[in-house]
Amino acid sequence: MSTTLPPPGPGHAPWTTDPYANALRNGRGPLFLRRPDGWLLPLDVERWCADADAADLSALHRCEGPVIDIGCGPGRLVAALTARGHRALGIDVSDAAVDHTQRLGGSALRRSVFDPLPAEGRWGTALLIDGNIGIGGDPGALLRRVAVLLAPSGLLVAEATPQDVDERVQVRLDDGRGAAASAPHFRWARVGAAALLRYARSCDWQPVDEWEADGRPFLALRHARTLRSPNLAARRPRDLSPWCDAPASHHR
């Protein structure tokens, strides 16, 4: 599948910059999130660009129905799901990420999770893996948005930060070589399992499973109430529109 979309707007520029695109194209870092105080969070580009590992598979084995991978990156999870017979779609604001996912044989669109998306209210599972609970710097807002995307009784599988943290920060992408010193800052969040559970419960999500694999903590959650209209809730997964028929958008 090939989809041509206009460039992302200024608010989503950080993930379209050269350091991120180059890291994905090369399959390796270094790549970091840098706070204004100089603190660095290494990003595991090599793992993202490899095949799905045992920890990833522990999450994918729990997926139900059609799956949307939010912030899919280079697409290893979408490819693994597709190979296992799931209908899966990745969304990401990076051209490099979408291109990489499609080269692996997966379906992907350049979109923001906060944009209109295909099949809203009908996804069986949503994934927030590899720190993507941090998208937008507001876990509560992200969890409320995901609730709208899922079908009634749909499943959210989210990965938490291994440390017991709950922070919202301004960061920028940094390649460790000084080339990204002028990269724009953007909002990000880091939440451990306890904090993620607090945010989830405050947004009417209920935990149904919690586990750790290779030092990575995961939670599976279901929303406690239906946010979709009855006509959408009644549709079956086979009624999902083709990804490429969705309207184009330029945000993440």
Side-chain angles (χ1 to χ4, degrees):
M1 181 198 71
S2 177
T3 303
T4 302
L5 297 173
H12 306 287
W15 294 101
T16 67
T17 55
D18 286 343
Y20 183 62
N22 289 341
L24 295 193
R25 292 187 183 110
N26 296 331
R28 62 182 183 276
L31 192 65
F32 308 90
L33 294 181
R34 177 186 285 271
R35 290 193 315 218
D37 64 5
W39 175 90
L40 292 173
L41 174 68
L43 300 179
D44 199 351
V45 178
E46 288 83 357
R47 180 171 61 79
W48 297 351
C49 292
D51 293 337
D53 61 20
D56 296 327
L57 295 177
S58 75
L60 301 188
H61 289 159
R62 290 167 165 83
C63 290
E64 304 167 356
V67 182
I68 184 165
D69 183 9
I70 298 166
C72 66
R76 76 187 190 284
L77 304 182
V78 175
L81 285 164
T82 301
R84 285 159 177 76
H86 279 276
R87 193 170 190 193
L89 173 70
I91 59 168
D92 204 288
V93 298
S94 164
D95 276 328
V98 170
D99 290 347
H100 199 289
T101 301
Q102 292 176 346
R103 286 198 300 273
L104 293 179
S107 295
L109 292 175
R110 190 172 52 160
R111 299 294 169 87
S112 164
V113 63
F114 296 106
D115 281 341
L117 292 171
E120 293 202 12
R122 286 175 280 160
W123 292 100
T125 304
L127 298 177
L128 286 170
I129 308 297
D130 297 331
N132 284 332
I133 188 64
I135 290 173
D138 186 342
L142 181 57
L143 288 169
R144 288 189 292 272
R145 173 60 177 148
V146 173
V148 176
L149 297 178
L150 287 173
S153 77
L155 188 71
L156 167 61
V157 179
E159 181 178 354
T161 300
Q163 297 79 26
D164 185 15
V165 296
D166 182 2
E167 63 178 14
R168 304 186 192 191
V169 293
Q170 292 281 334
V171 296
R172 64 174 171 83
L173 286 165
D174 191 306
D175 62 3
R177 304 182 183 96
S182 61
H185 284 82
F186 57 97
R187 293 184 299 169
W188 197 254
R190 296 176 67 235
V191 293
L196 179 51
L197 282 170
R198 289 195 299 272
Y199 283 115
R201 289 182 172 123
S202 73
C203 298
D204 294 326
W205 289 90
Q206 299 297 324
V208 295
D209 201 359
E210 184 174 356
W211 72 100
E212 184 174 302
D214 195 23
R216 297 166 57 190
F218 297 89
L219 288 88
L221 306 151
R222 294 191 195 276
H223 203 258
R225 58 190 171 88
T226 299
L227 298 181
R228 276 66 56 187
S229 62
N231 62 320
L232 283 179
R235 298 182 190 177
R236 296 181 180 179
R238 66 170 179 267
D239 298 323
L240 293 172
S241 301
W243 317 138
C244 55
D245 291 343
S249 177
H250 60 271
H251 299 290
R252 180 168 183 167

